[in-house]
DNA sequence: GTATAGCGCGATACGGTGTATTGAACAATA
DNA sequence: TATTGTTCAATACACCGTATCGCGCTATAC
């Protein structure tokens, strides 16, 4: 019947009968559940029972679990810089950095977010569209990115880095926590496994990595440093290549 | 009992009784299943029955489904440039490009790979360790990356981009295929949804994106272009900042 | 006020999942 | 030959997403 995406489909009227319910309430409950026990703990049964409702009642508000996940994703995007930024349009690097760091912070608040991050088309919900719109606006203000192809290419490149970096960071944090909170213990166990793997002389660089232990960078510093590399690269390379040239090369 | 990772745990001896079995056979069957029907179709029951075995028999070779997924990941890494590259150590950009494009090609052959890509610690299996080792070796040959901190930072930055870009590309390809293979139809439907979302004047950049349709870049060209941006940024920024400076800033 | 029509919602059911447990059949050893 | 120990398949359990169905309520029509 209705092939409209969730965000355009009207919500059923709230009925005070057993417990008032709404998409917002459902999404909030699901997010709280995922925050506490991970994405694997989000089931329609559990979300429902957190709201004193049976699992099937949710299907009046949400067509499937996938849709619920889409709504959860958009909810997180909604936490990223909802207010306007006065410096938008004048300081493109600052704007991009703020947006990316905002998404990273949201992902750290909601660790399950990374499991969904690049895994489904996230250009659907209003909040993720707003995020994309702001990213594009920031890129549009960069000198040298004059047409839409350049802006889109820059945005996709930055987005790829941000997604990958956030995923790596959260995954590593989770692993450390699961292996045992102690960082030293993790280093010793890693050295144990890696040490055995590198004992026979394969992987000389990994051996160097173990033998010359480098100081741990603060995760935010590491994230920003990589991001600045990407932004430098965009500022250096993209303006030097006319957009039409790429399009022609690609066709 | 054995807390060793799979790759160090001895395999049970092959018994010719019903059907010879081995980790390699199990992983191959699982990969074939995932290639054909997606990662969701990989269940211990289906993998087992593809090998004329019950589900529980697999537990003699693999401790859990997670371990099977780890083995599948490493299998894909094994397809990336298994042979030596004579230009390693002289042309760092070429080496990194070859490795990244190799991983991208493998991910396109095994689309389920992206669902696992950054989602678990992939520094475990021998093949992924070999991949990491080669990446580090390539970075080590870059001028200006003199100590391990710089090499690791560069590798992590490139890896973040590669992971994110591959994920985005495959996800987009899957969406296009699911929505209906026709690209024009997808554009029309996207314009429909996006058009309604941007009708009220929010999201001016998205409106521009729709109104000035840009030519589609070939995915490999787009991937390489973004990668070159990242490599440019690394070449520009990392050597200009002494490694100790970052470490101190971070501490 | 009462009968009826519609519908929201909960219970039930189905086919699937990962995996713990159990017991039987087989191989190796005493 | 008797016994022991291992390997594997069958069963079982808890849980999942969701299709179906029927009860009970609400709102309308007379």
């Amino acid at each position: 019947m209705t092939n409209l995406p969730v965000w355009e489909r009207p919500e059923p009227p709230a009925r005070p009968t057993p417990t008032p319910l709404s998409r917002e309430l459902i999404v909030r409950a699901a997010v709280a559940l995922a925050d506490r026990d991970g994405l694997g703990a989000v089931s329609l049964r559990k979300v429902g029972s957190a709201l004193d409702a049976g699992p099937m009642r949710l299907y009046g508000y949400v067509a499937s679990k996938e849709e619920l996940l889409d709504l959860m994703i958009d909810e997180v995007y909604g936490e990223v810089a909802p207010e306007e930024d006065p410096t938008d349009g004048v300081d493109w690097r600052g704007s991009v950095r703020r947006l990316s760091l905002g998404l990273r912070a949201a992902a750290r608040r909601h660790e399950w977010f990374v499991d969904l991050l690049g895994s489904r088309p996230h250009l659907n919900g209003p909040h993720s569209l707003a995020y994309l719109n702001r990213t594009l606006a920031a890129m549009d203000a960069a000198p040298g990115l004059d047409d839409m192809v350049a802006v889109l290419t820059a945005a996709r490149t930055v987005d790829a880095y941000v997604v990958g970096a956030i995923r790596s960071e959260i995954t590593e944090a989770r692993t450390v926590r699961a292996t045992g909170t102690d960082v030293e213990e993790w280093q010793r166990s890693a050295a144990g496994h890696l040490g055995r793997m590198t004992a026979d002389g394969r992987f000389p660089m990994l051996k160097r990595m173990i033998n010359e232990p480098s100081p741990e960078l603060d995760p935010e510093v590491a994230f920003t440093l990589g991001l600045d590399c990407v932004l430098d690269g965009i500022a250096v390379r993209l303006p030097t290549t006319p957009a039409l040239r790429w399009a022609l090369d690609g066709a």
Side-chain angles (χ1 to χ4, degrees), chain A residues 80-121:
Chain A
V80 184
E83 75 279 6
E84 288 299 313
D85 188 332
T87 75
D88 270 2
V90 311
D91 174 20
W92 71 278
R93 293 185 72 124
S95 297
V96 171
R97 238 203 314 256
R98 251 185 310 277
L99 285 168
S100 302
L101 281 172
L103 191 65
R104 173 180 170 272
R108 285 172 70 97
R109 282 193 300 271
H110 309 287
E111 291 205 346
W112 49 270
F113 184 61
V114 297
D115 299 326
L116 268 19
L117 189 42
S119 72
R120 63 188 61 236

mmCIF file of all heavy atoms in Angstrom, chain A residues 80-121:
data_model
loop_
_atom_site.group_PDB
_atom_site.id
_atom_site.type_symbol
_atom_site.label_atom_id
_atom_site.label_comp_id
_atom_site.label_asym_id
_atom_site.label_seq_id
_atom_site.Cartn_x
_atom_site.Cartn_y
_atom_site.Cartn_z
ATOM 1 N N VAL A 80 23.650 15.437 16.470
ATOM 2 C CA VAL A 80 24.860 16.085 15.991
ATOM 3 C C VAL A 80 24.538 17.519 15.603
ATOM 4 O O VAL A 80 23.873 17.766 14.603
ATOM 5 C CB VAL A 80 25.449 15.343 14.784
ATOM 6 C CG1 VAL A 80 26.752 15.990 14.366
ATOM 7 C CG2 VAL A 80 25.647 13.879 15.117
ATOM 8 N N ALA A 81 24.986 18.436 16.418
ATOM 9 C CA ALA A 81 24.919 19.858 16.088
ATOM 10 C C ALA A 81 23.552 20.260 15.570
ATOM 11 O O ALA A 81 23.404 20.640 14.418
ATOM 12 C CB ALA A 81 25.994 20.207 15.033
ATOM 13 N N PRO A 82 22.530 20.159 16.398
ATOM 14 C CA PRO A 82 21.209 20.550 15.913
ATOM 15 C C PRO A 82 21.069 22.067 15.745
ATOM 16 O O PRO A 82 20.274 22.523 14.942
ATOM 17 C CB PRO A 82 20.261 20.034 17.008
ATOM 18 C CG PRO A 82 21.119 19.437 18.067
ATOM 19 C CD PRO A 82 22.533 19.768 17.793
ATOM 20 N N GLU A 83 21.856 22.815 16.499
ATOM 21 C CA GLU A 83 21.710 24.278 16.361
ATOM 22 C C GLU A 83 22.577 24.776 15.206
ATOM 23 O O GLU A 83 23.545 24.121 14.796
ATOM 24 C CB GLU A 83 22.107 24.979 17.665
ATOM 25 C CG GLU A 83 23.602 25.030 17.933
ATOM 26 C CD GLU A 83 24.105 23.717 18.524
ATOM 27 O OE1 GLU A 83 23.315 22.739 18.613
ATOM 28 O OE2 GLU A 83 25.288 23.666 18.890
ATOM 29 N N GLU A 84 22.216 25.923 14.720
ATOM 30 C CA GLU A 84 22.966 26.537 13.628
ATOM 31 C C GLU A 84 24.362 26.932 14.099
ATOM 32 O O GLU A 84 24.580 27.194 15.287
ATOM 33 C CB GLU A 84 22.221 27.774 13.117
ATOM 34 C CG GLU A 84 20.972 27.435 12.328
ATOM 35 C CD GLU A 84 21.294 26.617 11.091
ATOM 36 O OE1 GLU A 84 22.231 27.000 10.363
ATOM 37 O OE2 GLU A 84 20.620 25.586 10.858
ATOM 38 N N ASP A 85 25.267 26.973 13.167
ATOM 39 C CA ASP A 85 26.630 27.371 13.485
ATOM 40 C C ASP A 85 26.920 28.694 12.773
ATOM 41 O O ASP A 85 26.878 28.757 11.547
ATOM 42 C CB ASP A 85 27.602 26.280 13.015
ATOM 43 C CG ASP A 85 29.010 26.559 13.498
ATOM 44 O OD1 ASP A 85 29.345 27.744 13.685
ATOM 45 O OD2 ASP A 85 29.760 25.590 13.682
ATOM 46 N N PRO A 86 27.185 29.755 13.530
ATOM 47 C CA PRO A 86 27.348 31.072 12.886
ATOM 48 C C PRO A 86 28.548 31.114 11.943
ATOM 49 O O PRO A 86 28.556 31.909 11.012
ATOM 50 C CB PRO A 86 27.528 32.022 14.074
ATOM 51 C CG PRO A 86 27.975 31.153 15.210
ATOM 52 C CD PRO A 86 27.342 29.828 14.987
ATOM 53 N N THR A 87 29.538 30.255 12.190
ATOM 54 C CA THR A 87 30.724 30.320 11.340
ATOM 55 C C THR A 87 30.571 29.509 10.068
ATOM 56 O O THR A 87 31.502 29.437 9.267
ATOM 57 C CB THR A 87 31.963 29.820 12.088
ATOM 58 O OG1 THR A 87 31.896 28.391 12.176
ATOM 59 C CG2 THR A 87 32.025 30.407 13.484
ATOM 60 N N ASP A 88 29.387 28.896 9.897
ATOM 61 C CA ASP A 88 29.188 28.133 8.655
ATOM 62 C C ASP A 88 29.299 29.074 7.458
ATOM 63 O O ASP A 88 28.722 30.154 7.429
ATOM 64 C CB ASP A 88 27.805 27.472 8.665
ATOM 65 C CG ASP A 88 27.870 26.091 9.288
ATOM 66 O OD1 ASP A 88 28.964 25.695 9.723
ATOM 67 O OD2 ASP A 88 26.835 25.413 9.333
ATOM 68 N N GLY A 89 30.061 28.635 6.486
ATOM 69 C CA GLY A 89 30.192 29.430 5.276
ATOM 70 C C GLY A 89 31.425 30.302 5.274
ATOM 71 O O GLY A 89 31.805 30.819 4.228
ATOM 72 N N VAL A 90 32.056 30.489 6.421
ATOM 73 C CA VAL A 90 33.279 31.299 6.416
ATOM 74 C C VAL A 90 34.509 30.441 6.708
ATOM 75 O O VAL A 90 35.566 30.664 6.130
ATOM 76 C CB VAL A 90 33.190 32.465 7.418
ATOM 77 C CG1 VAL A 90 31.869 33.215 7.246
ATOM 78 C CG2 VAL A 90 33.350 32.003 8.847
ATOM 79 N N ASP A 91 34.351 29.455 7.582
ATOM 80 C CA ASP A 91 35.495 28.621 7.961
ATOM 81 C C ASP A 91 35.163 27.177 7.622
ATOM 82 O O ASP A 91 34.650 26.439 8.451
ATOM 83 C CB ASP A 91 35.783 28.785 9.456
ATOM 84 C CG ASP A 91 36.866 27.833 9.936
ATOM 85 O OD1 ASP A 91 37.633 27.353 9.075
ATOM 86 O OD2 ASP A 91 36.927 27.576 11.155
ATOM 87 N N TRP A 92 35.436 26.783 6.391
ATOM 88 C CA TRP A 92 34.966 25.459 5.947
ATOM 89 C C TRP A 92 35.650 24.348 6.717
ATOM 90 O O TRP A 92 35.017 23.371 7.102
ATOM 91 C CB TRP A 92 35.156 25.295 4.441
ATOM 92 C CG TRP A 92 36.589 25.159 3.997
ATOM 93 C CD1 TRP A 92 37.480 26.149 3.799
ATOM 94 C CD2 TRP A 92 37.255 23.924 3.700
ATOM 95 N NE1 TRP A 92 38.684 25.636 3.409
ATOM 96 C CE2 TRP A 92 38.572 24.274 3.331
ATOM 97 C CE3 TRP A 92 36.890 22.586 3.708
ATOM 98 C CZ2 TRP A 92 39.522 23.317 2.973
ATOM 99 C CZ3 TRP A 92 37.830 21.632 3.347
ATOM 100 C CH2 TRP A 92 39.130 21.998 2.991
ATOM 101 N N ARG A 93 36.933 24.509 7.011
ATOM 102 C CA ARG A 93 37.607 23.433 7.743
ATOM 103 C C ARG A 93 37.048 23.296 9.149
ATOM 104 O O ARG A 93 36.837 22.189 9.647
ATOM 105 C CB ARG A 93 39.111 23.700 7.795
ATOM 106 C CG ARG A 93 39.779 23.625 6.438
ATOM 107 C CD ARG A 93 41.281 23.780 6.586
ATOM 108 N NE ARG A 93 41.870 22.594 7.178
ATOM 109 C CZ ARG A 93 42.844 21.887 6.625
ATOM 110 N NH1 ARG A 93 43.329 22.255 5.456
ATOM 111 N NH2 ARG A 93 43.323 20.840 7.227
ATOM 112 N N GLY A 94 36.792 24.432 9.770
ATOM 113 C CA GLY A 94 36.209 24.381 11.102
ATOM 114 C C GLY A 94 34.839 23.731 11.086
ATOM 115 O O GLY A 94 34.511 22.915 11.953
ATOM 116 N N SER A 95 34.039 24.055 10.083
ATOM 117 C CA SER A 95 32.700 23.476 10.010
ATOM 118 C C SER A 95 32.782 21.968 9.832
ATOM 119 O O SER A 95 32.091 21.203 10.519
ATOM 120 C CB SER A 95 31.926 24.094 8.843
ATOM 121 O OG SER A 95 31.754 25.478 9.048
ATOM 122 N N VAL A 96 33.627 21.521 8.920
ATOM 123 C CA VAL A 96 33.748 20.085 8.691
ATOM 124 C C VAL A 96 34.257 19.403 9.950
ATOM 125 O O VAL A 96 33.768 18.341 10.349
ATOM 126 C CB VAL A 96 34.686 19.806 7.497
ATOM 127 C CG1 VAL A 96 34.979 18.329 7.397
ATOM 128 C CG2 VAL A 96 34.070 20.321 6.213
ATOM 129 N N ARG A 97 35.235 20.027 10.585
ATOM 130 C CA ARG A 97 35.772 19.412 11.803
ATOM 131 C C ARG A 97 34.712 19.319 12.880
ATOM 132 O O ARG A 97 34.603 18.311 13.572
ATOM 133 C CB ARG A 97 36.966 20.219 12.312
ATOM 134 C CG ARG A 97 38.224 19.367 12.406
ATOM 135 C CD ARG A 97 39.224 19.918 13.382
ATOM 136 N NE ARG A 97 39.438 21.331 13.245
ATOM 137 C CZ ARG A 97 40.512 21.866 12.674
ATOM 138 N NH1 ARG A 97 41.430 21.088 12.164
ATOM 139 N NH2 ARG A 97 40.644 23.165 12.604
ATOM 140 N N ARG A 98 33.919 20.364 13.023
ATOM 141 C CA ARG A 98 32.878 20.332 14.047
ATOM 142 C C ARG A 98 31.857 19.236 13.753
ATOM 143 O O ARG A 98 31.440 18.504 14.652
ATOM 144 C CB ARG A 98 32.185 21.687 14.145
ATOM 145 C CG ARG A 98 32.518 22.459 15.416
ATOM 146 C CD ARG A 98 31.722 23.741 15.518
ATOM 147 N NE ARG A 98 31.801 24.536 14.295
ATOM 148 C CZ ARG A 98 32.808 25.350 14.019
ATOM 149 N NH1 ARG A 98 33.795 25.490 14.857
ATOM 150 N NH2 ARG A 98 32.809 26.043 12.898
ATOM 151 N N LEU A 99 31.451 19.157 12.503
ATOM 152 C CA LEU A 99 30.469 18.124 12.163
ATOM 153 C C LEU A 99 31.043 16.728 12.410
ATOM 154 O O LEU A 99 30.387 15.866 13.007
ATOM 155 C CB LEU A 99 30.054 18.261 10.691
ATOM 156 C CG LEU A 99 29.102 19.419 10.379
ATOM 157 C CD1 LEU A 99 28.996 19.628 8.879
ATOM 158 C CD2 LEU A 99 27.735 19.125 10.973
ATOM 159 N N SER A 100 32.262 16.502 11.958
ATOM 160 C CA SER A 100 32.840 15.166 12.088
ATOM 161 C C SER A 100 33.045 14.808 13.557
ATOM 162 O O SER A 100 32.733 13.686 13.983
ATOM 163 C CB SER A 100 34.171 15.097 11.341
ATOM 164 O OG SER A 100 33.983 15.424 9.977
ATOM 165 N N LEU A 101 33.558 15.776 14.323
ATOM 166 C CA LEU A 101 33.746 15.496 15.745
ATOM 167 C C LEU A 101 32.406 15.294 16.442
ATOM 168 O O LEU A 101 32.303 14.512 17.388
ATOM 169 C CB LEU A 101 34.523 16.639 16.399
ATOM 170 C CG LEU A 101 36.039 16.588 16.151
ATOM 171 C CD1 LEU A 101 36.714 17.851 16.668
ATOM 172 C CD2 LEU A 101 36.643 15.352 16.814
ATOM 173 N N GLY A 102 31.395 16.006 15.967
ATOM 174 C CA GLY A 102 30.069 15.800 16.542
ATOM 175 C C GLY A 102 29.556 14.403 16.266
ATOM 176 O O GLY A 102 29.001 13.743 17.156
ATOM 177 N N LEU A 103 29.751 13.923 15.056
ATOM 178 C CA LEU A 103 29.303 12.564 14.753
ATOM 179 C C LEU A 103 30.104 11.551 15.566
ATOM 180 O O LEU A 103 29.550 10.569 16.080
ATOM 181 C CB LEU A 103 29.463 12.282 13.249
ATOM 182 C CG LEU A 103 28.795 10.998 12.782
ATOM 183 C CD1 LEU A 103 27.283 11.092 12.946
ATOM 184 C CD2 LEU A 103 29.135 10.706 11.332
ATOM 185 N N ARG A 104 31.395 11.814 15.691
ATOM 186 C CA ARG A 104 32.213 10.906 16.494
ATOM 187 C C ARG A 104 31.726 10.889 17.940
ATOM 188 O O ARG A 104 31.605 9.823 18.554
ATOM 189 C CB ARG A 104 33.673 11.334 16.436
ATOM 190 C CG ARG A 104 34.567 10.565 17.375
ATOM 191 C CD ARG A 104 36.004 11.028 17.285
ATOM 192 N NE ARG A 104 36.785 10.427 18.358
ATOM 193 C CZ ARG A 104 36.912 10.957 19.555
ATOM 194 N NH1 ARG A 104 36.294 12.078 19.846
ATOM 195 N NH2 ARG A 104 37.638 10.344 20.464
ATOM 196 N N ALA A 105 31.443 12.033 18.486
ATOM 197 C CA ALA A 105 30.973 12.080 19.883
ATOM 198 C C ALA A 105 29.659 11.335 20.025
ATOM 199 O O ALA A 105 29.456 10.579 20.983
ATOM 200 C CB ALA A 105 30.821 13.542 20.323
ATOM 201 N N ALA A 106 28.768 11.513 19.065
ATOM 202 C CA ALA A 106 27.486 10.799 19.128
ATOM 203 C C ALA A 106 27.715 9.298 19.057
ATOM 204 O O ALA A 106 27.062 8.517 19.758
ATOM 205 C CB ALA A 106 26.579 11.262 18.000
ATOM 206 N N ALA A 107 28.651 8.887 18.222
ATOM 207 C CA ALA A 107 28.932 7.456 18.098
ATOM 208 C C ALA A 107 29.528 6.906 19.387
ATOM 209 O O ALA A 107 29.331 5.738 19.724
ATOM 210 C CB ALA A 107 29.876 7.208 16.927
ATOM 211 N N ARG A 108 30.258 7.745 20.097
ATOM 212 C CA ARG A 108 30.811 7.261 21.371
ATOM 213 C C ARG A 108 29.725 7.176 22.430
ATOM 214 O O ARG A 108 29.793 6.325 23.318
ATOM 215 C CB ARG A 108 31.945 8.178 21.830
ATOM 216 C CG ARG A 108 33.232 7.970 21.043
ATOM 217 C CD ARG A 108 34.274 9.018 21.401
ATOM 218 N NE ARG A 108 34.783 8.837 22.738
ATOM 219 C CZ ARG A 108 35.918 8.195 23.028
ATOM 220 N NH1 ARG A 108 36.624 7.668 22.055
ATOM 221 N NH2 ARG A 108 36.326 8.089 24.264
ATOM 222 N N ARG A 109 28.747 8.053 22.343
ATOM 223 C CA ARG A 109 27.629 7.932 23.283
ATOM 224 C C ARG A 109 26.782 6.704 22.988
ATOM 225 O O ARG A 109 26.192 6.107 23.881
ATOM 226 C CB ARG A 109 26.753 9.193 23.207
ATOM 227 C CG ARG A 109 27.304 10.396 23.937
ATOM 228 C CD ARG A 109 26.240 11.478 24.065
ATOM 229 N NE ARG A 109 25.749 11.942 22.774
ATOM 230 C CZ ARG A 109 26.280 12.932 22.088
ATOM 231 N NH1 ARG A 109 27.319 13.566 22.553
ATOM 232 N NH2 ARG A 109 25.768 13.301 20.924
ATOM 233 N N HIS A 110 26.678 6.370 21.728
ATOM 234 C CA HIS A 110 25.833 5.239 21.307
ATOM 235 C C HIS A 110 26.702 4.266 20.521
ATOM 236 O O HIS A 110 26.726 4.301 19.282
ATOM 237 C CB HIS A 110 24.673 5.722 20.443
ATOM 238 C CG HIS A 110 23.888 6.842 21.039
ATOM 239 N ND1 HIS A 110 23.030 6.667 22.100
ATOM 240 C CD2 HIS A 110 23.837 8.158 20.743
ATOM 241 C CE1 HIS A 110 22.471 7.825 22.411
ATOM 242 N NE2 HIS A 110 22.955 8.747 21.603
ATOM 243 N N GLU A 111 27.368 3.380 21.228
ATOM 244 C CA GLU A 111 28.381 2.561 20.551
ATOM 245 C C GLU A 111 27.789 1.668 19.470
ATOM 246 O O GLU A 111 28.458 1.325 18.519
ATOM 247 C CB GLU A 111 29.130 1.717 21.579
ATOM 248 C CG GLU A 111 30.014 2.541 22.487
ATOM 249 C CD GLU A 111 31.153 1.716 23.050
ATOM 250 O OE1 GLU A 111 31.102 0.487 22.947
ATOM 251 O OE2 GLU A 111 32.100 2.321 23.584
ATOM 252 N N TRP A 112 26.546 1.271 19.630
ATOM 253 C CA TRP A 112 25.909 0.430 18.620
ATOM 254 C C TRP A 112 25.807 1.154 17.283
ATOM 255 O O TRP A 112 25.613 0.521 16.249
ATOM 256 C CB TRP A 112 24.505 0.060 19.089
ATOM 257 C CG TRP A 112 23.719 1.236 19.556
ATOM 258 C CD1 TRP A 112 23.655 1.732 20.822
ATOM 259 C CD2 TRP A 112 22.920 2.099 18.754
ATOM 260 N NE1 TRP A 112 22.851 2.846 20.851
ATOM 261 C CE2 TRP A 112 22.386 3.092 19.595
ATOM 262 C CE3 TRP A 112 22.591 2.130 17.394
ATOM 263 C CZ2 TRP A 112 21.552 4.110 19.134
ATOM 264 C CZ3 TRP A 112 21.767 3.137 16.939
ATOM 265 C CH2 TRP A 112 21.254 4.114 17.800
ATOM 266 N N PHE A 113 25.929 2.455 17.313
ATOM 267 C CA PHE A 113 25.754 3.234 16.088
ATOM 268 C C PHE A 113 26.726 2.794 14.996
ATOM 269 O O PHE A 113 26.371 2.743 13.819
ATOM 270 C CB PHE A 113 25.929 4.713 16.414
ATOM 271 C CG PHE A 113 25.694 5.645 15.271
ATOM 272 C CD1 PHE A 113 24.473 5.703 14.630
ATOM 273 C CD2 PHE A 113 26.710 6.470 14.815
ATOM 274 C CE1 PHE A 113 24.249 6.574 13.578
ATOM 275 C CE2 PHE A 113 26.498 7.345 13.764
ATOM 276 C CZ PHE A 113 25.270 7.394 13.145
ATOM 277 N N VAL A 114 27.944 2.458 15.394
ATOM 278 C CA VAL A 114 28.933 2.106 14.380
ATOM 279 C C VAL A 114 28.542 0.829 13.635
ATOM 280 O O VAL A 114 28.923 0.642 12.484
ATOM 281 C CB VAL A 114 30.329 1.912 14.998
ATOM 282 C CG1 VAL A 114 30.815 3.205 15.600
ATOM 283 C CG2 VAL A 114 30.335 0.810 16.014
ATOM 284 N N ASP A 115 27.800 -0.033 14.293
ATOM 285 C CA ASP A 115 27.427 -1.267 13.607
ATOM 286 C C ASP A 115 26.499 -0.995 12.432
ATOM 287 O O ASP A 115 26.348 -1.833 11.544
ATOM 288 C CB ASP A 115 26.739 -2.220 14.586
ATOM 289 C CG ASP A 115 27.669 -2.597 15.724
ATOM 290 O OD1 ASP A 115 28.879 -2.706 15.477
ATOM 291 O OD2 ASP A 115 27.181 -2.765 16.860
ATOM 292 N N LEU A 116 25.847 0.149 12.476
ATOM 293 C CA LEU A 116 24.892 0.496 11.423
ATOM 294 C C LEU A 116 25.453 1.558 10.494
ATOM 295 O O LEU A 116 24.810 1.896 9.489
ATOM 296 C CB LEU A 116 23.623 1.051 12.080
ATOM 297 C CG LEU A 116 22.458 0.141 12.435
ATOM 298 C CD1 LEU A 116 22.871 -1.306 12.498
ATOM 299 C CD2 LEU A 116 21.851 0.551 13.773
ATOM 300 N N LEU A 117 26.621 2.076 10.835
ATOM 301 C CA LEU A 117 27.020 3.375 10.276
ATOM 302 C C LEU A 117 27.003 3.419 8.766
ATOM 303 O O LEU A 117 26.282 4.195 8.184
ATOM 304 C CB LEU A 117 28.386 3.775 10.829
ATOM 305 C CG LEU A 117 28.833 5.189 10.502
ATOM 306 C CD1 LEU A 117 27.703 6.156 10.653
ATOM 307 C CD2 LEU A 117 29.968 5.594 11.397
ATOM 308 N N GLY A 118 27.793 2.610 8.114
ATOM 309 C CA GLY A 118 27.800 2.696 6.664
ATOM 310 C C GLY A 118 27.004 1.573 6.033
ATOM 311 O O GLY A 118 27.114 1.333 4.848
ATOM 312 N N SER A 119 26.194 0.912 6.841
ATOM 313 C CA SER A 119 25.660 -0.368 6.374
ATOM 314 C C SER A 119 24.335 -0.240 5.639
ATOM 315 O O SER A 119 23.871 -1.188 5.073
ATOM 316 C CB SER A 119 25.476 -1.305 7.556
ATOM 317 O OG SER A 119 24.381 -0.887 8.332
ATOM 318 N N ARG A 120 23.724 0.907 5.685
ATOM 319 C CA ARG A 120 22.469 1.060 4.952
ATOM 320 C C ARG A 120 22.401 2.485 4.429
ATOM 321 O O ARG A 120 23.119 3.358 4.913
ATOM 322 C CB ARG A 120 21.269 0.764 5.847
ATOM 323 C CG ARG A 120 21.135 1.712 7.012
ATOM 324 C CD ARG A 120 20.051 1.236 7.930
ATOM 325 N NE ARG A 120 20.373 -0.055 8.448
ATOM 326 C CZ ARG A 120 19.574 -1.125 8.335
ATOM 327 N NH1 ARG A 120 18.427 -1.022 7.736
ATOM 328 N NH2 ARG A 120 19.946 -2.274 8.826
ATOM 329 N N PRO A 121 21.608 2.733 3.427
ATOM 330 C CA PRO A 121 21.566 4.098 2.895
ATOM 331 C C PRO A 121 21.083 5.050 3.972
ATOM 332 O O PRO A 121 19.959 4.968 4.439
ATOM 333 C CB PRO A 121 20.558 3.998 1.754
ATOM 334 C CG PRO A 121 19.782 2.760 2.018
ATOM 335 C CD PRO A 121 20.717 1.837 2.725
#
